[in-house]
Amino acid sequence: MCCVRPSRSASATSSQLGQIISPNPPPCGKYCPDDDLTPPPRPLAVDNEGEFGERPAKRARAVLGDGGGGGGGPDAAAGDGRDRISDLPDAVLLSILSFIPFRDAGRTAVLSSRWRHLFDQSLLEFNACQPFPPEEGRGCEWVIRSITDILAARPHVPIRSFRFVMYGQGFANYLADVDRWFRTLARRGVRELDVDMLYTVPTPLLPRSLLEFSSLEILRVLSCDFFYLSWPAPAPAPRLPVLRTLDLSNVCMSQQFLQDMLFHCPSLECTKLKNITGLDKICVRSKSLVRLFGDFGNLNELVVQDAPNLEELVGIGLPLSKAKVKIVFAPKLRVLGYLGKSVRPLVLHDTVFDGGIVQFRTLMSSIKILAIQVPFSEKGHTIFVAQLLKCFPCLETLQIEPDCRSVFRPVDVEEWDTVTSVQCVEHSINRLVFENFGGEECQWRFLTFLLRMATALKFVDFHCSESKAWARNQIELLGSTNRASADVRFLFFRSNVPISSLYLCHCCPQRCEKEIRIALI
């Protein structure tokens, strides 16, 4: 790495830790410009701090580190003046460089021949972040020029990942430079590309060369405009042939471009879409896609047309958008959510569910985990839940989120008792997950109904924002309830983030959930 590893959720912090160095390369070898990156005649960026200018003479040392690491045995005296840091293995020295600012890491190349090529190795993970707040003389132009000259001065240095963070204004004037970066990085076999433009005004465009990375495996883009892009005409070789993860946030694009991207990336496995504008419908056709996460709050329709390997489909904003959801072909689908009373009609193969009215033909037996939003304050929500669950006879985990827009009102327990038998509740559900559990009467009555009916139930997880004393009181109350399963365990967790949002910040919701929740009992 070339700088302190940044937090991907805090752009400002990462930019402070990942400042780029002056484009003037340290005296570590012959300059050999890259064809595409040879900059036009112009004055080089000025290093105001004089990082690579003249320095005072070094203090004399008894032995200087050399290419072999300095030599010497382990019994040498501690005060003999030897360069013991240079004796360390390359892996340790590279780890040290990763914990200091980028510009200081570049200065280590002049220490000795032992350190001369370590900085080039640190470029394996190139983290190019504009200083925030911008330092004097180091605005957009300086950053663009510096990255261009660093890439040109090191044409043979391997780069595995490239992260670029920009703030402020002026980026639109340098698209030609960014286009040269992308073409050069593509030739060097970059596998991970991360473009963060959250605080850039106006929302910047990206060059078409973004679609020409034959080695790219992970692509993350934040706050950019793709709307003008169209997928290239069919070519002998597929575009982005090994792309596995696509993560887009605050991006504007057309419906056709997104559909083409999903269809023409033959290795794509995980796609995360957050706050995507410019489209009101998504039609999924992908032979390789395994996970699709998004908020989908602006959609009118979500269609899974042909996704033979899709296993997880989660849209946390579907109940808000009142979108039509249609799943035509997804035989391996195991995780589905968030469904709500406003998600209508829900078409599962040839089974149609429309707010409590079900036309059963084909049931979704592959679904094992279902997340639903329950409008406890609306009349008829008990029928909605019971009828919806009939569509998933082999369900194992039911995740329940209250409709936060509703005002809770008591619901007569008889409404639950008179519901017709539901196969998954009585025979297959072994875990219940209550999000935002507050112990309201409507939640309690729904819970007691499920406890009386679920014979296979093993665990009930409560995610709340209450204290340990409150959780202990709930445990005591649960001890007096009637249960169809004698082995059920109740687990209370305090979560700092709603569970639903975890689907947008990590490819694996279960692992992300474990990282942020705190057990109360």
Side-chain angles (χ1 to χ4, degrees):
M1 295 182 68
C2 56
C3 68
V4 175
R5 184 181 295 275
S7 169
R8 297 191 184 277
S9 60
S11 299
T13 302
S14 66
S15 68
Q16 291 174 335
L17 298 177
Q19 296 171 343
I20 63 174
I21 63 169
S22 166
N24 297 325
C28 59
K30 183 179 179 180
Y31 178 88
C32 182
D34 187 289
D35 292 339
D36 281 355
L37 283 170
T38 304
R42 58 186 178 186
L44 290 177
V46 178
D47 180 8
N48 294 327
E49 298 183 7
E51 295 174 358
F52 294 99
E54 296 183 359
R55 298 178 175 79
K58 295 182 180 179
R59 184 177 61 182
R61 297 185 298 179
V63 179
L64 292 177
D66 54 19
D75 297 330
D80 61 1
R82 288 181 53 242
D83 180 8
R84 298 184 181 278
I85 293 181
S86 294
D87 289 341
L88 298 172
D90 283 2
V92 176
L93 296 179
L94 288 172
S95 178
I96 293 173
L97 290 181
S98 72
F99 283 95
I100 62 178
F102 197 94
R103 55 185 180 183
D104 293 331
R107 296 167 66 177
T108 62
V110 300
L111 293 177
S112 70
S113 59
R114 175 76 177 91
W115 290 78
R116 183 168 298 169
H117 301 291
L118 288 175
F119 176 67
D120 286 352
Q121 294 182 46
S122 72
L123 289 178
L124 190 64
E125 297 187 16
F126 198 127
N127 191 349
C129 305
Q130 180 181 356
F132 184 82
E135 301 175 5
E136 183 178 356
R138 297 192 176 188
C140 177
E141 180 181 1
W142 185 89
V143 173
I144 298 291
R145 189 181 303 168
S146 298
I147 298 172
T148 298
D149 292 338
I150 289 173
L151 290 174
R154 294 168 171 81
H156 304 299
V157 173
I159 299 176
R160 179 174 56 196
S161 66
F162 181 82
R163 183 166 188 255
F164 174 58
V165 180
M166 178 62 72
Y167 308 93
Q169 301 178 353
F171 178 80
N173 299 326
Y174 299 96
L175 287 180
D177 296 86
V178 177
D179 180 68
R180 285 193 290 269
W181 299 352
F182 286 173
R183 295 183 187 279
T184 296
L185 293 170
R187 286 201 302 273
R188 296 194 191 186
V190 166
R191 290 185 286 176
E192 182 174 353
L193 180 64
D194 191 339
V195 181
D196 185 345
M197 298 289 181
L198 181 58
Y199 300 108
T200 303
V201 180
T203 302
L205 307 176
L206 288 180
R208 191 178 299 276
S209 53
L210 178 69
L211 306 177
E212 299 179 2
F213 282 79
S214 61
S215 60
L216 195 64
E217 298 177 7
I218 300 175
L219 174 61
R220 299 185 183 92
V221 179
L222 176 62
S223 296
C224 290
D225 190 347
F226 284 2
F227 197 79
Y228 71 100
L229 284 179
S230 59
W231 197 261
R239 308 279 178 169
L240 303 176
V242 297
L243 184 68
R244 294 184 294 103
T245 300
L246 176 65
D247 188 346
L248 304 178
S249 298
N250 301 333
V251 170
C252 179
M253 62 171 52
S254 68
Q255 174 183 325
Q256 188 61 48
F257 178 76
L258 177 59
Q259 292 178 185
D260 287 342
M261 198 168 194
L262 295 176
F263 181 74
H264 290 290
C265 294
S267 302
L268 188 62
E269 296 177 358
C270 179
T271 298
K272 292 188 285 184
L273 306 173
K274 183 177 182 181
N275 192 25
I276 306 299
T277 58
L279 48 81
D280 60 5
K281 176 181 178 180
I282 294 179
C283 183
V284 180
R285 292 185 303 133
S286 172
K287 300 295 185 182
S288 60
L289 191 64
V290 177
R291 295 178 292 275
L292 176 60
F293 303 141
D295 47 13
F296 305 143
N298 299 322
L299 290 185
N300 293 329
E301 187 174 4
L302 174 62
V303 180
V304 180
Q305 187 70 39
D306 184 14
N309 289 298
L310 186 66
E311 297 180 6
E312 301 180 22
L313 173 61
V314 179
I316 65 174
L318 284 175
L320 296 177
S321 64
K322 300 181 179 180
K324 174 183 178 181
V325 176
K326 184 177 182 180
I327 300 176
V328 179
F329 185 69
K332 295 184 180 179
L333 191 62
R334 298 181 61 257
V335 180
L336 178 62
Y338 277 70
L339 301 182
K341 196 173 181 180
S342 61
V343 179
R344 63 171 69 176
L346 171 65
V347 181
L348 308 172
H349 300 306
D350 52 1
T351 293
V352 181
F353 176 81
D354 191 3
I357 302 174
V358 186
Q359 300 174 12
F360 290 108
R361 290 183 177 86
T362 303
L363 302 180
M364 291 287 288
S365 300
S366 65
I367 300 293
K368 305 299 181 184
I369 301 175
L370 177 68
I372 62 174
Q373 187 181 89
V374 181
F376 285 105
S377 65
E378 295 186 20
K379 184 178 180 180
H381 69 272
T382 56
I383 297 177
F384 155 73
V385 172
Q387 294 293 89
L388 178 64
L389 293 180
K390 290 180 180 180
C391 300
F392 310 100
C394 299
L395 193 65
E396 296 178 358
T397 299
L398 176 61
Q399 191 162 306
I400 303 154
E401 179 187 61
D403 184 354
C404 297
R405 299 170 299 170
S406 301
V407 178
F408 292 135
R409 67 174 179 85
V411 177
D412 190 351
V413 70
E414 294 299 323
E415 294 184 44
W416 291 105
D417 289 341
T418 56
V419 171
T420 305
S421 175
V422 180
Q423 180 177 339
C424 67
V425 174
E426 296 184 359
H427 301 290
S428 63
I429 290 181
N430 55 54
R431 181 181 290 271
L432 296 174
V433 180
F434 280 85
E435 301 183 29
N436 303 322
F437 186 78
E440 288 83 2
E441 184 178 3
C442 54
Q443 291 179 318
W444 262 100
R445 292 188 175 184
F446 184 28
L447 173 61
T448 54
F449 162 75
L450 293 172
L451 290 176
R452 288 199 304 269
M453 302 292 291
T455 59
L457 190 61
K458 300 297 181 183
F459 300 96
V460 181
D461 297 352
F462 299 93
H463 294 264
C464 57
S465 58
E466 305 294 340
S467 64
K468 288 186 177 181
W470 179 88
R472 293 192 187 97
N473 182 57
Q474 302 299 305
I475 290 288
E476 293 179 2
L477 294 175
L478 287 167
S480 60
T481 57
N482 295 326
R483 289 176 249 171
S485 172
D487 299 328
V488 62
R489 293 182 56 192
F490 303 103
L491 307 173
F492 283 80
F493 301 96
R494 181 188 295 122
S495 299
N496 297 323
V497 179
I499 299 177
S500 57
S501 67
L502 301 179
Y503 290 96
L504 291 184
C505 65
H506 206 289
C507 290
C508 178
Q510 293 80 10
R511 181 168 63 181
C512 190
E513 175 185 329
K514 291 177 182 178
E515 291 175 354
I516 62 96
R517 68 182 187 178
I518 301 173
L520 292 176
I521 299 295

PDB file of all heavy atoms in Angstrom, residues 302-331:
ATOM      1  N   LEU A 302     -39.537  -3.777 -10.665  1.00  0.00           N
ATOM      2  CA  LEU A 302     -38.313  -4.584 -10.582  1.00  0.00           C
ATOM      3  C   LEU A 302     -38.635  -5.962 -11.135  1.00  0.00           C
ATOM      4  O   LEU A 302     -39.492  -6.674 -10.603  1.00  0.00           O
ATOM      5  CB  LEU A 302     -37.823  -4.685  -9.135  1.00  0.00           C
ATOM      6  CG  LEU A 302     -36.635  -5.619  -8.883  1.00  0.00           C
ATOM      7  CD1 LEU A 302     -35.400  -5.156  -9.655  1.00  0.00           C
ATOM      8  CD2 LEU A 302     -36.318  -5.708  -7.397  1.00  0.00           C
ATOM      9  N   VAL A 303     -37.945  -6.343 -12.206  1.00  0.00           N
ATOM     10  CA  VAL A 303     -38.215  -7.606 -12.880  1.00  0.00           C
ATOM     11  C   VAL A 303     -36.941  -8.447 -12.913  1.00  0.00           C
ATOM     12  O   VAL A 303     -35.886  -7.968 -13.344  1.00  0.00           O
ATOM     13  CB  VAL A 303     -38.710  -7.374 -14.327  1.00  0.00           C
ATOM     14  CG1 VAL A 303     -38.980  -8.706 -15.012  1.00  0.00           C
ATOM     15  CG2 VAL A 303     -39.959  -6.507 -14.334  1.00  0.00           C
ATOM     16  N   VAL A 304     -37.035  -9.658 -12.436  1.00  0.00           N
ATOM     17  CA  VAL A 304     -35.949 -10.629 -12.571  1.00  0.00           C
ATOM     18  C   VAL A 304     -36.347 -11.560 -13.696  1.00  0.00           C
ATOM     19  O   VAL A 304     -37.098 -12.524 -13.503  1.00  0.00           O
ATOM     20  CB  VAL A 304     -35.709 -11.394 -11.257  1.00  0.00           C
ATOM     21  CG1 VAL A 304     -34.567 -12.391 -11.430  1.00  0.00           C
ATOM     22  CG2 VAL A 304     -35.403 -10.433 -10.116  1.00  0.00           C
ATOM     23  N   GLN A 305     -35.861 -11.261 -14.887  1.00  0.00           N
ATOM     24  CA  GLN A 305     -36.296 -11.971 -16.087  1.00  0.00           C
ATOM     25  C   GLN A 305     -35.592 -13.303 -16.263  1.00  0.00           C
ATOM     26  O   GLN A 305     -36.229 -14.333 -16.510  1.00  0.00           O
ATOM     27  CB  GLN A 305     -36.060 -11.098 -17.317  1.00  0.00           C
ATOM     28  CG  GLN A 305     -36.633 -11.657 -18.602  1.00  0.00           C
ATOM     29  CD  GLN A 305     -38.140 -11.625 -18.600  1.00  0.00           C
ATOM     30  OE1 GLN A 305     -38.751 -10.678 -18.113  1.00  0.00           O
ATOM     31  NE2 GLN A 305     -38.761 -12.663 -19.154  1.00  0.00           N
ATOM     32  N   ASP A 306     -34.259 -13.291 -16.122  1.00  0.00           N
ATOM     33  CA  ASP A 306     -33.470 -14.508 -16.349  1.00  0.00           C
ATOM     34  C   ASP A 306     -32.205 -14.431 -15.505  1.00  0.00           C
ATOM     35  O   ASP A 306     -31.224 -13.824 -15.888  1.00  0.00           O
ATOM     36  CB  ASP A 306     -33.129 -14.642 -17.826  1.00  0.00           C
ATOM     37  CG  ASP A 306     -32.392 -15.941 -18.137  1.00  0.00           C
ATOM     38  OD1 ASP A 306     -32.387 -16.831 -17.269  1.00  0.00           O
ATOM     39  OD2 ASP A 306     -31.814 -16.054 -19.235  1.00  0.00           O
ATOM     40  N   ALA A 307     -32.236 -15.055 -14.323  1.00  0.00           N
ATOM     41  CA  ALA A 307     -31.094 -15.031 -13.408  1.00  0.00           C
ATOM     42  C   ALA A 307     -30.948 -16.413 -12.777  1.00  0.00           C
ATOM     43  O   ALA A 307     -31.340 -16.639 -11.626  1.00  0.00           O
ATOM     44  CB  ALA A 307     -31.286 -13.956 -12.333  1.00  0.00           C
ATOM     45  N   PRO A 308     -30.379 -17.359 -13.517  1.00  0.00           N
ATOM     46  CA  PRO A 308     -30.345 -18.753 -13.052  1.00  0.00           C
ATOM     47  C   PRO A 308     -29.497 -18.984 -11.806  1.00  0.00           C
ATOM     48  O   PRO A 308     -29.685 -19.990 -11.132  1.00  0.00           O
ATOM     49  CB  PRO A 308     -29.761 -19.511 -14.256  1.00  0.00           C
ATOM     50  CG  PRO A 308     -29.020 -18.475 -15.046  1.00  0.00           C
ATOM     51  CD  PRO A 308     -29.790 -17.205 -14.857  1.00  0.00           C
ATOM     52  N   ASN A 309     -28.566 -18.045 -11.489  1.00  0.00           N
ATOM     53  CA  ASN A 309     -27.711 -18.230 -10.324  1.00  0.00           C
ATOM     54  C   ASN A 309     -27.982 -17.222  -9.207  1.00  0.00           C
ATOM     55  O   ASN A 309     -27.255 -17.194  -8.220  1.00  0.00           O
ATOM     56  CB  ASN A 309     -26.238 -18.134 -10.733  1.00  0.00           C
ATOM     57  CG  ASN A 309     -25.788 -19.336 -11.538  1.00  0.00           C
ATOM     58  OD1 ASN A 309     -25.799 -20.466 -11.055  1.00  0.00           O
ATOM     59  ND2 ASN A 309     -25.411 -19.110 -12.789  1.00  0.00           N
ATOM     60  N   LEU A 310     -29.010 -16.409  -9.343  1.00  0.00           N
ATOM     61  CA  LEU A 310     -29.315 -15.408  -8.322  1.00  0.00           C
ATOM     62  C   LEU A 310     -29.771 -16.078  -7.030  1.00  0.00           C
ATOM     63  O   LEU A 310     -30.696 -16.884  -7.034  1.00  0.00           O
ATOM     64  CB  LEU A 310     -30.401 -14.457  -8.829  1.00  0.00           C
ATOM     65  CG  LEU A 310     -30.728 -13.265  -7.922  1.00  0.00           C
ATOM     66  CD1 LEU A 310     -29.536 -12.325  -7.827  1.00  0.00           C
ATOM     67  CD2 LEU A 310     -31.954 -12.515  -8.439  1.00  0.00           C
ATOM     68  N   GLU A 311     -29.102 -15.723  -5.910  1.00  0.00           N
ATOM     69  CA  GLU A 311     -29.423 -16.301  -4.611  1.00  0.00           C
ATOM     70  C   GLU A 311     -29.988 -15.282  -3.628  1.00  0.00           C
ATOM     71  O   GLU A 311     -30.738 -15.649  -2.725  1.00  0.00           O
ATOM     72  CB  GLU A 311     -28.178 -16.959  -3.997  1.00  0.00           C
ATOM     73  CG  GLU A 311     -27.636 -18.124  -4.808  1.00  0.00           C
ATOM     74  CD  GLU A 311     -26.404 -18.739  -4.166  1.00  0.00           C
ATOM     75  OE1 GLU A 311     -26.053 -18.333  -3.037  1.00  0.00           O
ATOM     76  OE2 GLU A 311     -25.790 -19.623  -4.796  1.00  0.00           O
ATOM     77  N   GLU A 312     -29.609 -14.002  -3.776  1.00  0.00           N
ATOM     78  CA  GLU A 312     -30.051 -12.984  -2.826  1.00  0.00           C
ATOM     79  C   GLU A 312     -30.554 -11.754  -3.584  1.00  0.00           C
ATOM     80  O   GLU A 312     -29.839 -11.208  -4.423  1.00  0.00           O
ATOM     81  CB  GLU A 312     -28.902 -12.585  -1.885  1.00  0.00           C
ATOM     82  CG  GLU A 312     -28.346 -13.742  -1.076  1.00  0.00           C
ATOM     83  CD  GLU A 312     -27.207 -13.315  -0.165  1.00  0.00           C
ATOM     84  OE1 GLU A 312     -27.121 -12.111   0.163  1.00  0.00           O
ATOM     85  OE2 GLU A 312     -26.404 -14.182   0.228  1.00  0.00           O
ATOM     86  N   LEU A 313     -31.770 -11.339  -3.269  1.00  0.00           N
ATOM     87  CA  LEU A 313     -32.374 -10.141  -3.854  1.00  0.00           C
ATOM     88  C   LEU A 313     -32.988  -9.334  -2.720  1.00  0.00           C
ATOM     89  O   LEU A 313     -33.981  -9.746  -2.119  1.00  0.00           O
ATOM     90  CB  LEU A 313     -33.443 -10.530  -4.879  1.00  0.00           C
ATOM     91  CG  LEU A 313     -34.276  -9.379  -5.457  1.00  0.00           C
ATOM     92  CD1 LEU A 313     -33.387  -8.390  -6.202  1.00  0.00           C
ATOM     93  CD2 LEU A 313     -35.373  -9.916  -6.378  1.00  0.00           C
ATOM     94  N   VAL A 314     -32.369  -8.189  -2.420  1.00  0.00           N
ATOM     95  CA  VAL A 314     -32.816  -7.369  -1.296  1.00  0.00           C
ATOM     96  C   VAL A 314     -32.916  -5.920  -1.735  1.00  0.00           C
ATOM     97  O   VAL A 314     -31.932  -5.320  -2.161  1.00  0.00           O
ATOM     98  CB  VAL A 314     -31.851  -7.483  -0.084  1.00  0.00           C
ATOM     99  CG1 VAL A 314     -32.337  -6.593   1.056  1.00  0.00           C
ATOM    100  CG2 VAL A 314     -31.746  -8.926   0.384  1.00  0.00           C
ATOM    101  N   GLY A 315     -34.118  -5.358  -1.630  1.00  0.00           N
ATOM    102  CA  GLY A 315     -34.338  -3.941  -1.890  1.00  0.00           C
ATOM    103  C   GLY A 315     -34.978  -3.313  -0.673  1.00  0.00           C
ATOM    104  O   GLY A 315     -36.166  -3.512  -0.415  1.00  0.00           O
ATOM    105  N   ILE A 316     -34.203  -2.555   0.107  1.00  0.00           N
ATOM    106  CA  ILE A 316     -34.712  -2.065   1.388  1.00  0.00           C
ATOM    107  C   ILE A 316     -35.751  -0.956   1.199  1.00  0.00           C
ATOM    108  O   ILE A 316     -36.502  -0.654   2.116  1.00  0.00           O
ATOM    109  CB  ILE A 316     -33.564  -1.564   2.283  1.00  0.00           C
ATOM    110  CG1 ILE A 316     -32.886  -0.336   1.672  1.00  0.00           C
ATOM    111  CG2 ILE A 316     -32.571  -2.666   2.547  1.00  0.00           C
ATOM    112  CD1 ILE A 316     -31.838   0.280   2.575  1.00  0.00           C
ATOM    113  N   GLY A 317     -35.806  -0.345   0.013  1.00  0.00           N
ATOM    114  CA  GLY A 317     -36.760   0.735  -0.214  1.00  0.00           C
ATOM    115  C   GLY A 317     -37.976   0.326  -1.011  1.00  0.00           C
ATOM    116  O   GLY A 317     -38.795   1.173  -1.370  1.00  0.00           O
ATOM    117  N   LEU A 318     -38.128  -0.959  -1.293  1.00  0.00           N
ATOM    118  CA  LEU A 318     -39.260  -1.404  -2.103  1.00  0.00           C
ATOM    119  C   LEU A 318     -40.612  -1.041  -1.490  1.00  0.00           C
ATOM    120  O   LEU A 318     -41.524  -0.608  -2.199  1.00  0.00           O
ATOM    121  CB  LEU A 318     -39.172  -2.910  -2.343  1.00  0.00           C
ATOM    122  CG  LEU A 318     -38.142  -3.363  -3.385  1.00  0.00           C
ATOM    123  CD1 LEU A 318     -38.060  -4.883  -3.431  1.00  0.00           C
ATOM    124  CD2 LEU A 318     -38.491  -2.809  -4.764  1.00  0.00           C
ATOM    125  N   PRO A 319     -40.815  -1.188  -0.169  1.00  0.00           N
ATOM    126  CA  PRO A 319     -42.114  -0.797   0.399  1.00  0.00           C
ATOM    127  C   PRO A 319     -42.408   0.692   0.247  1.00  0.00           C
ATOM    128  O   PRO A 319     -43.572   1.096   0.195  1.00  0.00           O
ATOM    129  CB  PRO A 319     -41.978  -1.186   1.875  1.00  0.00           C
ATOM    130  CG  PRO A 319     -40.960  -2.278   1.886  1.00  0.00           C
ATOM    131  CD  PRO A 319     -39.982  -1.879   0.825  1.00  0.00           C
ATOM    132  N   LEU A 320     -41.379   1.526   0.189  1.00  0.00           N
ATOM    133  CA  LEU A 320     -41.583   2.962   0.034  1.00  0.00           C
ATOM    134  C   LEU A 320     -41.932   3.320  -1.403  1.00  0.00           C
ATOM    135  O   LEU A 320     -42.720   4.233  -1.657  1.00  0.00           O
ATOM    136  CB  LEU A 320     -40.332   3.723   0.468  1.00  0.00           C
ATOM    137  CG  LEU A 320     -39.938   3.598   1.948  1.00  0.00           C
ATOM    138  CD1 LEU A 320     -38.638   4.343   2.194  1.00  0.00           C
ATOM    139  CD2 LEU A 320     -41.044   4.154   2.839  1.00  0.00           C
ATOM    140  N   SER A 321     -41.331   2.620  -2.360  1.00  0.00           N
ATOM    141  CA  SER A 321     -41.544   2.961  -3.764  1.00  0.00           C
ATOM    142  C   SER A 321     -42.857   2.421  -4.317  1.00  0.00           C
ATOM    143  O   SER A 321     -43.296   2.828  -5.382  1.00  0.00           O
ATOM    144  CB  SER A 321     -40.389   2.409  -4.608  1.00  0.00           C
ATOM    145  OG  SER A 321     -40.371   0.990  -4.568  1.00  0.00           O
ATOM    146  N   LYS A 322     -43.473   1.485  -3.576  1.00  0.00           N
ATOM    147  CA  LYS A 322     -44.711   0.846  -4.038  1.00  0.00           C
ATOM    148  C   LYS A 322     -44.509   0.222  -5.411  1.00  0.00           C
ATOM    149  O   LYS A 322     -45.338   0.353  -6.318  1.00  0.00           O
ATOM    150  CB  LYS A 322     -45.867   1.853  -4.064  1.00  0.00           C
ATOM    151  CG  LYS A 322     -46.172   2.460  -2.708  1.00  0.00           C
ATOM    152  CD  LYS A 322     -47.342   3.424  -2.773  1.00  0.00           C
ATOM    153  CE  LYS A 322     -47.644   4.011  -1.407  1.00  0.00           C
ATOM    154  NZ  LYS A 322     -48.790   4.957  -1.433  1.00  0.00           N
ATOM    155  N   ALA A 323     -43.369  -0.449  -5.552  1.00  0.00           N
ATOM    156  CA  ALA A 323     -42.995  -0.999  -6.853  1.00  0.00           C
ATOM    157  C   ALA A 323     -43.662  -2.349  -7.109  1.00  0.00           C
ATOM    158  O   ALA A 323     -43.958  -3.107  -6.185  1.00  0.00           O
ATOM    159  CB  ALA A 323     -41.479  -1.153  -6.928  1.00  0.00           C
ATOM    160  N   LYS A 324     -43.849  -2.632  -8.363  1.00  0.00           N
ATOM    161  CA  LYS A 324     -44.268  -3.954  -8.793  1.00  0.00           C
ATOM    162  C   LYS A 324     -43.027  -4.841  -8.876  1.00  0.00           C
ATOM    163  O   LYS A 324     -42.020  -4.451  -9.456  1.00  0.00           O
ATOM    164  CB  LYS A 324     -44.950  -3.876 -10.158  1.00  0.00           C
ATOM    165  CG  LYS A 324     -45.292  -5.230 -10.759  1.00  0.00           C
ATOM    166  CD  LYS A 324     -45.890  -5.071 -12.143  1.00  0.00           C
ATOM    167  CE  LYS A 324     -46.181  -6.424 -12.776  1.00  0.00           C
ATOM    168  NZ  LYS A 324     -46.751  -6.283 -14.148  1.00  0.00           N
ATOM    169  N   VAL A 325     -43.091  -6.021  -8.267  1.00  0.00           N
ATOM    170  CA  VAL A 325     -41.964  -6.952  -8.278  1.00  0.00           C
ATOM    171  C   VAL A 325     -42.396  -8.211  -9.010  1.00  0.00           C
ATOM    172  O   VAL A 325     -43.423  -8.817  -8.677  1.00  0.00           O
ATOM    173  CB  VAL A 325     -41.495  -7.294  -6.851  1.00  0.00           C
ATOM    174  CG1 VAL A 325     -40.389  -8.348  -6.889  1.00  0.00           C
ATOM    175  CG2 VAL A 325     -40.996  -6.038  -6.137  1.00  0.00           C
ATOM    176  N   LYS A 326     -41.600  -8.596  -9.993  1.00  0.00           N
ATOM    177  CA  LYS A 326     -41.917  -9.771 -10.794  1.00  0.00           C
ATOM    178  C   LYS A 326     -40.675 -10.643 -10.918  1.00  0.00           C
ATOM    179  O   LYS A 326     -39.640 -10.191 -11.393  1.00  0.00           O
ATOM    180  CB  LYS A 326     -42.408  -9.349 -12.180  1.00  0.00           C
ATOM    181  CG  LYS A 326     -42.850 -10.508 -13.064  1.00  0.00           C
ATOM    182  CD  LYS A 326     -43.387 -10.010 -14.399  1.00  0.00           C
ATOM    183  CE  LYS A 326     -43.884 -11.155 -15.273  1.00  0.00           C
ATOM    184  NZ  LYS A 326     -44.411 -10.674 -16.577  1.00  0.00           N
ATOM    185  N   ILE A 327     -40.773 -11.871 -10.454  1.00  0.00           N
ATOM    186  CA  ILE A 327     -39.660 -12.821 -10.537  1.00  0.00           C
ATOM    187  C   ILE A 327     -40.079 -13.923 -11.507  1.00  0.00           C
ATOM    188  O   ILE A 327     -40.930 -14.766 -11.194  1.00  0.00           O
ATOM    189  CB  ILE A 327     -39.322 -13.404  -9.159  1.00  0.00           C
ATOM    190  CG1 ILE A 327     -38.930 -12.280  -8.196  1.00  0.00           C
ATOM    191  CG2 ILE A 327     -38.194 -14.422  -9.271  1.00  0.00           C
ATOM    192  CD1 ILE A 327     -38.669 -12.740  -6.784  1.00  0.00           C
ATOM    193  N   VAL A 328     -39.478 -13.892 -12.686  1.00  0.00           N
ATOM    194  CA  VAL A 328     -39.841 -14.835 -13.736  1.00  0.00           C
ATOM    195  C   VAL A 328     -39.017 -16.109 -13.639  1.00  0.00           C
ATOM    196  O   VAL A 328     -39.565 -17.222 -13.629  1.00  0.00           O
ATOM    197  CB  VAL A 328     -39.664 -14.190 -15.127  1.00  0.00           C
ATOM    198  CG1 VAL A 328     -40.015 -15.189 -16.220  1.00  0.00           C
ATOM    199  CG2 VAL A 328     -40.518 -12.930 -15.248  1.00  0.00           C
ATOM    200  N   PHE A 329     -37.679 -15.945 -13.543  1.00  0.00           N
ATOM    201  CA  PHE A 329     -36.814 -17.134 -13.497  1.00  0.00           C
ATOM    202  C   PHE A 329     -35.622 -16.855 -12.596  1.00  0.00           C
ATOM    203  O   PHE A 329     -34.707 -16.115 -12.955  1.00  0.00           O
ATOM    204  CB  PHE A 329     -36.340 -17.498 -14.897  1.00  0.00           C
ATOM    205  CG  PHE A 329     -35.533 -18.775 -14.943  1.00  0.00           C
ATOM    206  CD1 PHE A 329     -36.137 -19.999 -14.709  1.00  0.00           C
ATOM    207  CD2 PHE A 329     -34.170 -18.754 -15.201  1.00  0.00           C
ATOM    208  CE1 PHE A 329     -35.400 -21.179 -14.743  1.00  0.00           C
ATOM    209  CE2 PHE A 329     -33.430 -19.921 -15.241  1.00  0.00           C
ATOM    210  CZ  PHE A 329     -34.049 -21.145 -15.009  1.00  0.00           C
ATOM    211  N   ALA A 330     -35.664 -17.441 -11.401  1.00  0.00           N
ATOM    212  CA  ALA A 330     -34.553 -17.369 -10.444  1.00  0.00           C
ATOM    213  C   ALA A 330     -34.640 -18.606  -9.561  1.00  0.00           C
ATOM    214  O   ALA A 330     -34.998 -18.533  -8.382  1.00  0.00           O
ATOM    215  CB  ALA A 330     -34.619 -16.089  -9.612  1.00  0.00           C
ATOM    216  N   PRO A 331     -34.312 -19.765 -10.096  1.00  0.00           N
ATOM    217  CA  PRO A 331     -34.554 -21.032  -9.388  1.00  0.00           C
ATOM    218  C   PRO A 331     -33.731 -21.218  -8.127  1.00  0.00           C
ATOM    219  O   PRO A 331     -34.096 -22.035  -7.281  1.00  0.00           O
ATOM    220  CB  PRO A 331     -34.197 -22.087 -10.445  1.00  0.00           C
ATOM    221  CG  PRO A 331     -33.245 -21.397 -11.380  1.00  0.00           C
ATOM    222  CD  PRO A 331     -33.707 -19.980 -11.430  1.00  0.00           C
TER     223      PRO A 331
END
